[in-house]
Amino acid sequence: MEKQVEMIIYGAEIICASCVNLPSSKDTYEWLGAAVARKFPNQPVNIRLVDIFNPPEEEEIKSFAQRVVEEDMFYPVITLEGQVVGEGNPRLKTIYTELEKYGYKAVESF
């Protein structure tokens, strides 16, 4: 692993109107955290959940949260080191592939 990466999940308490029947942003946050920890054990990823309607004051995060709202993106929107890797219903395979680009080594499950 080259460095610990930051994954940010931008979402809201309310489920996206276009994402009915999909997990909430908080559920996605918990699910992704568990899935990544299983696939890449002992290789920490800094995973944060950001409320798009009440983001922290960090300018870059606040600006992207505003973009999610203004562009009507399907949330949760998942970024890895600032790059969008998932929107609405994220695909684990895509996220795993992106993590591997940063030197994370997958552990295959049986």
Side-chain angles (χ1 to χ4, degrees):
M1 173 175 69
E2 295 173 18
K3 70 172 196 156
Q4 181 176 342
V5 299
E6 181 173 55
M7 182 183 305
I8 302 178
I9 300 168
Y10 293 88
E13 290 284 325
I14 331 163
I15 294 177
C16 163
S18 300
C19 302
V20 176
N21 298 324
L22 293 178
S24 70
S25 298
K26 184 177 181 191
D27 290 340
T28 299
Y29 165 77
E30 292 170 352
W31 167 73
L32 263 178
V36 167
R38 272 191 312 275
K39 187 75 168 180
F40 303 98
N42 302 315
Q43 301 170 74
V45 176
N46 180 24
I47 302 176
R48 296 174 59 185
L49 177 61
V50 171
D51 184 334
I52 58 176
F53 298 112
N54 189 23
E57 289 301 314
E58 297 165 69
E59 191 54 44
E60 187 177 328
I61 292 173
K62 190 174 186 176
S63 175
F64 190 83
Q66 184 176 357
R67 181 177 155 207
V68 171
V69 174
E70 289 175 354
E71 294 180 14
D72 289 325
M73 296 172 85
F74 296 132
Y75 54 85
V77 174
I78 293 91
T79 64
L80 190 62
E81 291 297 302
Q83 300 299 312
V84 175
V85 294
E87 188 178 338
N89 188 15
R91 302 275 180 235
L92 278 177
K93 185 175 182 179
T94 302
I95 293 168
Y96 291 162
T97 299
E98 290 300 315
L99 283 168
E100 289 170 347
K101 290 178 183 176
Y102 287 93
Y104 284 76
K105 303 288 184 217
V107 173
E108 296 304 320
S109 56
F110 298 98

